[in-house]
Amino acid sequence: MNLEVLIKSSNVLFLLLGAIMIFAMHAGFAFLEVGSVRTKNQINALVKIISDWAVSTVVYFLIGFPMARGISFLKPASKLIGDNMGFDLIRFFFFLTFAACIPAIISGGIAERAKFWPQVFAGAIFAGILYPFFESIIWGINSTFVQGLIKNITGFEFVDYAGSVVVHSFGGWLALPAILILGPRKNRYNSNNPIPISNVPFLALGSWILSVGWFGFNVMSAVELKDISGLVAINSLASMVGGILVSLLLSKRDAIFIHNGALAGLVAVCAGSAIYHPIGAFVVGGIAAAIFVYGFHFETEVLKIDDVLGVVVLHGVVGSWGGIAAGIFGSTLFGGLGNVSFFAQLIGSSLAIIIALFGGSIVYLVIDKLFGFRLEEEKEIEGADLAIHSLEAYPDKF
């Protein structure tokens, strides 16, 4: 085997392992939601995540990846392999795992009261069209114009190494119009007692699966083996730990906030994971956890936005913080590698919010008008498991 073949095959294996790790994260999304909803809606959570994954694969293969990266697979298999051992196919798989996070993120915010097929349809639009459009202007074939514009204004390009903004912020802000259009779950605000979650161990399992897979999300964003960085791995670890410890203190040992605090740290670190000093990453993660602990209460109890898993805060707000934080803690002033601008990060992060809110509002308003988005009251009371899937998670519980 010559050196060139070895390099190509190593890159294929490297990125494939990353894709598999992120693919496994979708089990984390599923169990995080399963643990956070009532028992009568657990099956629905499981089916939504795996169905959205399947639909996302089809639409991203046919539409999204060609739109974002300019590569179409509608050609003979011999040409798909090409002279790089099918590396573009693995690139598709890898970036598919990012695109499929979008409907998975939204699923947690609209849990327990959304119709099944309208949300699957919305997820297809997001994974196949709207997300790839945003991917293309930040990371893909149309990035030269947008990044050039940001650089002309600020002197620097927008940095988002692994998707704090492109994936997490975008997905979280897309969820907000859906949550507002649906309205709160029945009886959510009729008393002082919030609707209880069903299973803390499942929620914790979801958090652990996501946390482990996140190292594929961040480290393998190098795409090729020659660009791998140990700094990315340690910064991811430091930010996760910062999120855990701050949420541990602020929430007074609340298991739900602690496990989500780990995820807040990981969401926030993605953008600047390749340029932070580990101490800076720790601080970024800690601030992200504080944003989630206080932001989730403000969103759900003060604003009375019934965001079941807190995805608007955990992904939307914290993802935006991660984008902006890269312009602060990625600078040489805080021990980072530099070559980043606060204002460039602010512009890029704001662009995600604007496109997500505008695009999400249009999609969900049209869907609600054409098909209806919310479950009928009697079906919501019965639970989505029986109403939609004709199955109970625990049929022998009595």
Side-chain angles (χ1 to χ4, degrees):
M1 180 182 293
N2 62 43
L3 181 59
E4 184 180 0
V5 172
L6 180 62
I7 292 172
K8 289 179 178 179
S9 60
S10 298
N11 286 332
V12 169
L13 179 60
F14 172 71
L15 200 58
L16 174 61
L17 292 175
I20 292 170
M21 289 179 71
I22 308 171
F23 177 37
M25 289 174 68
H26 289 264
F29 281 118
F31 279 100
L32 194 72
E33 184 173 337
V34 166
S36 300
V37 299
R38 289 165 287 186
T39 54
K40 64 182 181 179
N41 295 302
Q42 289 184 333
I43 291 173
N44 182 244
L46 292 169
V47 175
K48 279 192 300 178
I49 299 298
I50 198 168
S51 299
D52 283 335
W53 168 265
V55 171
S56 296
T57 300
V58 174
V59 297
Y60 194 70
F61 182 89
L62 294 174
I63 305 170
F65 191 71
M67 178 189 296
R69 305 289 171 166
I71 299 172
S72 173
F73 298 121
L74 301 180
K75 60 186 71 171
S78 60
K79 293 187 177 180
L80 296 182
I81 297 173
D83 61 357
N84 61 2
M85 308 182 75
F87 184 68
D88 285 338
L89 291 168
I90 301 304
R91 284 181 68 212
F92 155 74
F93 185 11
F94 183 76
F95 288 112
L96 162 67
T97 62
F98 285 46
C101 285
I102 302 300
I105 290 168
I106 296 169
S107 177
I110 63 173
E112 301 201 289
R113 76 270 202 203
K115 289 182 177 179
F116 182 77
W117 286 114
Q119 173 51 27
V120 170
F121 180 61
I125 295 173
F126 296 143
I129 300 174
L130 193 58
Y131 169 79
F133 166 74
F134 190 63
E135 179 187 4
S136 77
I137 66 174
I138 302 299
W139 288 340
I141 59 174
N142 297 313
S143 61
T144 301
F145 173 75
V146 174
Q147 291 284 19
L149 188 61
I150 294 174
K151 188 173 182 178
N152 285 338
I153 296 172
T154 67
F156 295 88
E157 291 186 351
F158 172 66
V159 174
D160 189 7
Y161 185 76
S164 287
V165 174
V166 175
V167 179
H168 296 285
S169 172
F170 197 70
W173 290 112
L174 275 175
L176 181 57
I179 295 167
L180 294 176
I181 289 169
L182 282 173
R185 290 166 289 173
K186 184 174 176 59
N187 297 324
R188 171 63 177 87
Y189 295 110
N190 289 354
S191 70
N192 293 325
N193 299 317
I195 295 174
I197 69 173
S198 63
N199 196 310
V200 174
F202 274 171
L203 181 152
L205 175 63
S207 175
W208 272 106
I209 294 172
L210 284 165
S211 296
V212 173
W214 223 293
F215 288 85
F217 208 103
N218 288 0
V219 176
M220 270 71 164
S221 284
V223 179
E224 294 186 1
L225 195 57
K226 66 180 177 63
D227 295 322
I228 192 171
S229 169
L231 184 64
V232 175
I234 298 307
N235 281 339
S236 301
L237 177 64
S239 191
M240 180 184 73
V241 169
I244 293 170
L245 294 177
V246 169
S247 58
L248 175 68
L249 294 172
L250 296 182
S251 72
K252 300 179 180 178
R253 303 172 302 282
D254 187 305
I256 298 170
F257 281 110
I258 292 166
H259 285 89
N260 276 291
L263 302 182
L266 287 164
V267 167
V269 77
C270 291
S273 56
I275 59 175
Y276 291 140
H277 186 281
I279 296 175
F282 181 88
V283 174
V284 169
I287 294 173
I291 291 171
F292 180 72
V293 171
Y294 294 119
F296 181 70
H297 174 79
F298 182 76
E299 178 195 16
T300 58
E301 303 304 326
V302 178
L303 299 179
K304 298 192 182 302
I305 298 172
D306 189 15
D307 179 357
V308 181
L309 270 68
V311 301
V312 174
V313 179
L314 181 60
H315 295 276
V317 179
V318 170
S320 298
W321 157 244
I324 295 169
I328 303 171
F329 291 94
S331 68
T332 55
L333 178 65
F334 290 96
L337 297 182
N339 198 32
V340 67
S341 159
F342 170 81
F343 293 105
Q345 296 306 114
L346 182 63
I347 292 171
S349 300
S350 300
L351 188 62
I353 298 172
I354 293 168
I355 294 174
L357 289 178
F358 180 74
S361 296
I362 292 175
V363 170
Y364 283 116
L365 285 170
V366 171
I367 285 176
D368 189 46
K369 186 71 173 179
L370 293 179
F371 310 110
F373 191 26
R374 182 161 182 151
L375 278 175
E376 295 80 3
E377 183 175 348
E378 62 273 15
K379 290 184 178 180
E380 183 179 344
I381 294 171
E382 181 183 27
D385 290 359
L386 282 173
I388 297 175
H389 308 287
S390 302
L391 193 63
E392 290 181 282
Y394 308 100
D396 60 345
K397 61 185 175 181
F398 298 115

